Amino acid sequence: MNQAAIQNFSYLFDNAIKQAHDRGDPEWRRQQREMAFSYFLEVGFPDVKQEEWKYTNVMPIMEKEFVLPKIERIPDISELLGKRWNDAIEFVFVDGVLSMEHSTTTTKQGIEVILFRDAMLNGDGALLRSRIEACLFDNSSAFPLLNQAFGEDGVWVKIANDAVIEEHVHFIFISTIPNVLLSPCVIIDAGHSSQASLVQSHIGSPGVGSFTSAVTDIHVAENANLTYCKVQ
C-alpha cells in the first residue's frame, strides 16, 4: 500500500476515533477499532498478484481521498428508495445513520433487531463484543478489517427458536455523500428450526461515487432455514 493511501486512511481513522468517542463508544470498542486498523496497515489492500484478486484491481481505492459520513439531517431519498415492498420489515440507513422515518417501526414476534449502539449499553454488550472480535480474528483481508475499524453503527438480527417470519426483512443502505467511506455491519443469528428471508440492498446516488466495505456475519442453528440475498 502506497504512502499516500496510508496517510489518507490514517487521517480518516483518527477522525473516526474522535467521532466514536463523541458517540459514547465504550473503551473495548475503541480497542477493537485500533486493533483492526493496525492489522489493516500490516495486511494492506490485495493486488492482482494474489490469485483470488487477479481479475480485480483495487488500485483506484488507494488513489482516492475518502471522507467519513457526517450528516446534519437525512436528505430526501424518496427517488432512491423507489417503490417500497409490500409486507416487508424494512430498515433504511442513510450514509451510515438509521432513518427511523423511512424504516419499519413495528416489531414482529420472533424477531429482534438491535442496533450496535444500543447493544453496547445494555446486557448484550459482552456478547456483541465477542462476536465482533470473532469477525476480527477470522479475517485477514483488508476490507473486513476496514469495516471493523471504521464501522459507524451495525445491526444485530436475532431470530428466535422455531420462529417463522413470513415477511421479508430488508436492510437498505443508501449513500448520498461523494467519496464517502461506509462500513455497514450486519450480524444475523437464526435460532433452532427458525425460518426467515433477509435481503440486504446497497444503493448510491447517481453519479456519486463512494466506498462501501460491508460485513455480514451469519450464524444458523440446527434445522434453521435462512434465505439471504444481497443486491447492489
Side-chain angles (χ1 to χ4, degrees):
M1 189 161 61
N2 60 49
Q3 191 62 34
I6 292 175
Q7 290 178 350
N8 181 35
F9 281 100
S10 295
Y11 173 78
L12 286 179
F13 181 69
D14 289 342
N15 283 279
I17 288 292
K18 293 176 183 176
Q19 289 185 10
H21 179 269
D22 292 341
R23 288 196 302 267
D25 275 15
E27 176 64 16
W28 62 262
R29 186 67 183 101
R30 181 190 64 78
Q31 293 175 355
Q32 286 180 338
R33 292 180 186 277
E34 291 179 344
M35 183 183 300
F37 191 69
S38 176
Y39 288 168
F40 163 71
L41 292 179
E42 291 180 16
V43 172
F45 285 109
D47 57 39
V48 293
K49 296 178 181 179
Q50 297 171 248
E51 179 65 24
E52 61 270 32
W53 291 93
K54 65 181 181 180
Y55 300 116
T56 306
N57 184 4
V58 301
M59 182 63 70
I61 294 175
M62 290 185 278
E63 296 173 346
K64 278 188 174 292
E65 292 187 5
F66 295 100
V67 298
L68 295 177
K70 186 177 181 181
I71 55 177
E72 302 298 331
R73 62 181 180 83
I74 301 295
D76 182 6
I77 57 172
S78 54
E79 290 189 8
L80 291 175
L81 281 174
K83 185 178 180 180
R84 308 300 293 273
W85 294 5
N86 294 326
D87 300 325
I89 306 170
E90 292 188 325
F91 298 89
V92 181
F93 288 77
V94 183
D95 297 318
V97 177
L98 177 66
S99 172
M100 295 302 298
E101 174 187 353
H102 299 94
S103 301
T104 304
T105 56
T106 56
T107 57
K108 301 290 182 179
Q109 185 174 2
I111 184 170
E112 184 180 11
V113 178
I114 308 171
L115 294 179
F116 282 10
R117 63 172 178 262
D118 294 332
M120 290 178 189
L121 301 176
N122 62 29
D124 291 311
L127 183 55
L128 175 64
R129 177 179 181 176
S130 65
R131 292 295 297 275
I132 295 176
E133 287 178 350
C135 290
L136 275 177
F137 292 115
D138 286 346
N139 288 286
S140 58
S141 171
F143 299 104
L145 293 173
L146 274 178
N147 178 279
Q148 297 306 321
F150 286 95
E152 307 85 30
D153 198 6
V155 183
W156 191 359
V157 182
K158 296 181 179 182
I159 303 169
N161 294 338
D162 301 311
V164 177
I165 311 302
E166 297 180 353
E167 303 89 344
H168 291 294
V169 182
H170 192 192
F171 296 97
I172 306 172
F173 296 92
I174 294 177
S175 60
T176 67
I177 302 173
N179 296 327
V180 68
L181 169 61
L182 296 175
S183 305
C185 181
V186 178
I187 294 177
I188 301 169
D189 288 330
H192 185 277
S193 298
S194 62
Q195 297 181 40
S197 175
L198 287 82
V199 179
Q200 186 173 335
S201 297
H202 295 267
I203 304 171
S205 297
V208 175
S210 63
F211 175 22
T212 299
S213 181
V215 165
T216 303
D217 184 38
I218 302 175
H219 288 231
V220 180
E222 186 178 4
N223 295 324
N225 187 336
L226 179 69
T227 301
Y228 171 78
C229 179
K230 179 183 286 187
V231 182
Q232 56 187 27

mmCIF file of all heavy atoms in Angstrom, residues 2-19:
data_model
loop_
_atom_site.group_PDB
_atom_site.id
_atom_site.type_symbol
_atom_site.label_atom_id
_atom_site.label_comp_id
_atom_site.label_asym_id
_atom_site.label_seq_id
_atom_site.Cartn_x
_atom_site.Cartn_y
_atom_site.Cartn_z
ATOM 1 N N ASN A 2 0.603 2.193 -0.887
ATOM 2 C CA ASN A 2 1.484 3.342 -1.006
ATOM 3 C C ASN A 2 1.321 4.308 0.167
ATOM 4 O O ASN A 2 0.338 4.265 0.914
ATOM 5 C CB ASN A 2 1.255 4.070 -2.341
ATOM 6 C CG ASN A 2 -0.169 4.581 -2.494
ATOM 7 O OD1 ASN A 2 -0.710 5.224 -1.615
ATOM 8 N ND2 ASN A 2 -0.778 4.291 -3.643
ATOM 9 N N GLN A 3 2.284 5.188 0.309
ATOM 10 C CA GLN A 3 2.335 6.093 1.451
ATOM 11 C C GLN A 3 1.154 7.050 1.481
ATOM 12 O O GLN A 3 0.630 7.383 2.538
ATOM 13 C CB GLN A 3 3.649 6.879 1.447
ATOM 14 C CG GLN A 3 3.919 7.644 2.729
ATOM 15 C CD GLN A 3 4.037 6.739 3.932
ATOM 16 O OE1 GLN A 3 4.537 5.613 3.821
ATOM 17 N NE2 GLN A 3 3.582 7.199 5.085
ATOM 18 N N ALA A 4 0.731 7.509 0.303
ATOM 19 C CA ALA A 4 -0.401 8.441 0.238
ATOM 20 C C ALA A 4 -1.669 7.794 0.786
ATOM 21 O O ALA A 4 -2.443 8.422 1.514
ATOM 22 C CB ALA A 4 -0.611 8.911 -1.198
ATOM 23 N N ALA A 5 -1.899 6.521 0.435
ATOM 24 C CA ALA A 5 -3.076 5.809 0.928
ATOM 25 C C ALA A 5 -2.996 5.609 2.435
ATOM 26 O O ALA A 5 -3.997 5.764 3.152
ATOM 27 C CB ALA A 5 -3.215 4.470 0.217
ATOM 28 N N ILE A 6 -1.805 5.282 2.931
ATOM 29 C CA ILE A 6 -1.625 5.108 4.375
ATOM 30 C C ILE A 6 -1.944 6.404 5.110
ATOM 31 O O ILE A 6 -2.647 6.402 6.133
ATOM 32 C CB ILE A 6 -0.185 4.650 4.683
ATOM 33 C CG1 ILE A 6 0.044 3.236 4.153
ATOM 34 C CG2 ILE A 6 0.098 4.714 6.184
ATOM 35 C CD1 ILE A 6 1.472 2.746 4.301
ATOM 36 N N GLN A 7 -1.468 7.521 4.592
ATOM 37 C CA GLN A 7 -1.716 8.816 5.235
ATOM 38 C C GLN A 7 -3.196 9.157 5.205
ATOM 39 O O GLN A 7 -3.761 9.652 6.195
ATOM 40 C CB GLN A 7 -0.891 9.900 4.548
ATOM 41 C CG GLN A 7 0.606 9.798 4.799
ATOM 42 C CD GLN A 7 1.402 10.862 4.064
ATOM 43 O OE1 GLN A 7 0.876 11.577 3.206
ATOM 44 N NE2 GLN A 7 2.678 10.980 4.403
ATOM 45 N N ASN A 8 -3.858 8.893 4.066
ATOM 46 C CA ASN A 8 -5.273 9.219 3.943
ATOM 47 C C ASN A 8 -6.113 8.411 4.919
ATOM 48 O O ASN A 8 -6.939 8.954 5.650
ATOM 49 C CB ASN A 8 -5.745 8.976 2.506
ATOM 50 C CG ASN A 8 -7.216 9.332 2.301
ATOM 51 O OD1 ASN A 8 -7.725 10.272 2.903
ATOM 52 N ND2 ASN A 8 -7.886 8.565 1.462
ATOM 53 N N PHE A 9 -5.898 7.094 4.940
ATOM 54 C CA PHE A 9 -6.704 6.255 5.823
ATOM 55 C C PHE A 9 -6.345 6.477 7.293
ATOM 56 O O PHE A 9 -7.207 6.356 8.170
ATOM 57 C CB PHE A 9 -6.549 4.783 5.440
ATOM 58 C CG PHE A 9 -7.374 4.391 4.240
ATOM 59 C CD1 PHE A 9 -6.792 4.292 2.983
ATOM 60 C CD2 PHE A 9 -8.728 4.147 4.359
ATOM 61 C CE1 PHE A 9 -7.545 3.940 1.870
ATOM 62 C CE2 PHE A 9 -9.502 3.801 3.257
ATOM 63 C CZ PHE A 9 -8.901 3.696 2.008
ATOM 64 N N SER A 10 -5.091 6.811 7.582
ATOM 65 C CA SER A 10 -4.707 7.106 8.964
ATOM 66 C C SER A 10 -5.387 8.379 9.442
ATOM 67 O O SER A 10 -5.850 8.459 10.597
ATOM 68 C CB SER A 10 -3.180 7.249 9.070
ATOM 69 O OG SER A 10 -2.538 6.030 8.784
ATOM 70 N N TYR A 11 -5.464 9.373 8.572
ATOM 71 C CA TYR A 11 -6.161 10.618 8.916
ATOM 72 C C TYR A 11 -7.644 10.341 9.167
ATOM 73 O O TYR A 11 -8.225 10.835 10.144
ATOM 74 C CB TYR A 11 -5.991 11.630 7.787
ATOM 75 C CG TYR A 11 -6.813 12.885 7.954
ATOM 76 C CD1 TYR A 11 -6.411 13.900 8.825
ATOM 77 C CD2 TYR A 11 -8.005 13.052 7.243
ATOM 78 C CE1 TYR A 11 -7.178 15.050 8.985
ATOM 79 C CE2 TYR A 11 -8.771 14.195 7.397
ATOM 80 C CZ TYR A 11 -8.358 15.190 8.271
ATOM 81 O OH TYR A 11 -9.122 16.335 8.429
ATOM 82 N N LEU A 12 -8.253 9.533 8.290
ATOM 83 C CA LEU A 12 -9.656 9.178 8.475
ATOM 84 C C LEU A 12 -9.860 8.430 9.785
ATOM 85 O O LEU A 12 -10.844 8.659 10.499
ATOM 86 C CB LEU A 12 -10.140 8.315 7.305
ATOM 87 C CG LEU A 12 -10.377 8.984 5.963
ATOM 88 C CD1 LEU A 12 -10.816 7.954 4.938
ATOM 89 C CD2 LEU A 12 -11.431 10.075 6.085
ATOM 90 N N PHE A 13 -8.936 7.528 10.093
ATOM 91 C CA PHE A 13 -9.095 6.724 11.304
ATOM 92 C C PHE A 13 -9.012 7.596 12.556
ATOM 93 O O PHE A 13 -9.787 7.405 13.509
ATOM 94 C CB PHE A 13 -8.035 5.629 11.356
ATOM 95 C CG PHE A 13 -8.164 4.748 12.568
ATOM 96 C CD1 PHE A 13 -9.228 3.882 12.691
ATOM 97 C CD2 PHE A 13 -7.227 4.806 13.589
ATOM 98 C CE1 PHE A 13 -9.367 3.072 13.812
ATOM 99 C CE2 PHE A 13 -7.355 4.004 14.705
ATOM 100 C CZ PHE A 13 -8.425 3.131 14.820
ATOM 101 N N ASP A 14 -8.100 8.549 12.581
ATOM 102 C CA ASP A 14 -8.003 9.459 13.733
ATOM 103 C C ASP A 14 -9.332 10.175 13.954
ATOM 104 O O ASP A 14 -9.797 10.330 15.101
ATOM 105 C CB ASP A 14 -6.883 10.475 13.526
ATOM 106 C CG ASP A 14 -5.502 9.844 13.632
ATOM 107 O OD1 ASP A 14 -5.395 8.737 14.177
ATOM 108 O OD2 ASP A 14 -4.535 10.462 13.143
ATOM 109 N N ASN A 15 -9.960 10.606 12.866
ATOM 110 C CA ASN A 15 -11.249 11.288 12.978
ATOM 111 C C ASN A 15 -12.369 10.329 13.354
ATOM 112 O O ASN A 15 -13.297 10.700 14.080
ATOM 113 C CB ASN A 15 -11.579 11.995 11.666
ATOM 114 C CG ASN A 15 -10.805 13.281 11.473
ATOM 115 O OD1 ASN A 15 -11.160 14.330 12.004
ATOM 116 N ND2 ASN A 15 -9.711 13.218 10.730
ATOM 117 N N ALA A 16 -12.281 9.086 12.874
ATOM 118 C CA ALA A 16 -13.289 8.090 13.229
ATOM 119 C C ALA A 16 -13.249 7.791 14.723
ATOM 120 O O ALA A 16 -14.297 7.624 15.364
ATOM 121 C CB ALA A 16 -13.066 6.806 12.420
ATOM 122 N N ILE A 17 -12.056 7.730 15.290
ATOM 123 C CA ILE A 17 -11.915 7.502 16.729
ATOM 124 C C ILE A 17 -12.544 8.657 17.517
ATOM 125 O O ILE A 17 -13.238 8.442 18.530
ATOM 126 C CB ILE A 17 -10.432 7.337 17.111
ATOM 127 C CG1 ILE A 17 -9.901 5.986 16.624
ATOM 128 C CG2 ILE A 17 -10.234 7.460 18.614
ATOM 129 C CD1 ILE A 17 -10.491 4.789 17.327
ATOM 130 N N LYS A 18 -12.335 9.876 17.054
ATOM 131 C CA LYS A 18 -12.923 11.043 17.725
ATOM 132 C C LYS A 18 -14.443 10.997 17.652
ATOM 133 O O LYS A 18 -15.136 11.270 18.638
ATOM 134 C CB LYS A 18 -12.387 12.332 17.090
ATOM 135 C CG LYS A 18 -10.902 12.574 17.315
ATOM 136 C CD LYS A 18 -10.432 13.814 16.576
ATOM 137 C CE LYS A 18 -8.921 14.016 16.738
ATOM 138 N NZ LYS A 18 -8.433 15.183 15.943
ATOM 139 N N GLN A 19 -14.971 10.667 16.476
ATOM 140 C CA GLN A 19 -16.424 10.586 16.327
ATOM 141 C C GLN A 19 -17.007 9.484 17.217
ATOM 142 O O GLN A 19 -18.069 9.668 17.832
ATOM 143 C CB GLN A 19 -16.782 10.329 14.862
ATOM 144 C CG GLN A 19 -16.547 11.512 13.935
ATOM 145 C CD GLN A 19 -17.041 11.242 12.524
ATOM 146 O OE1 GLN A 19 -17.722 10.241 12.266
ATOM 147 N NE2 GLN A 19 -16.708 12.122 11.603
#
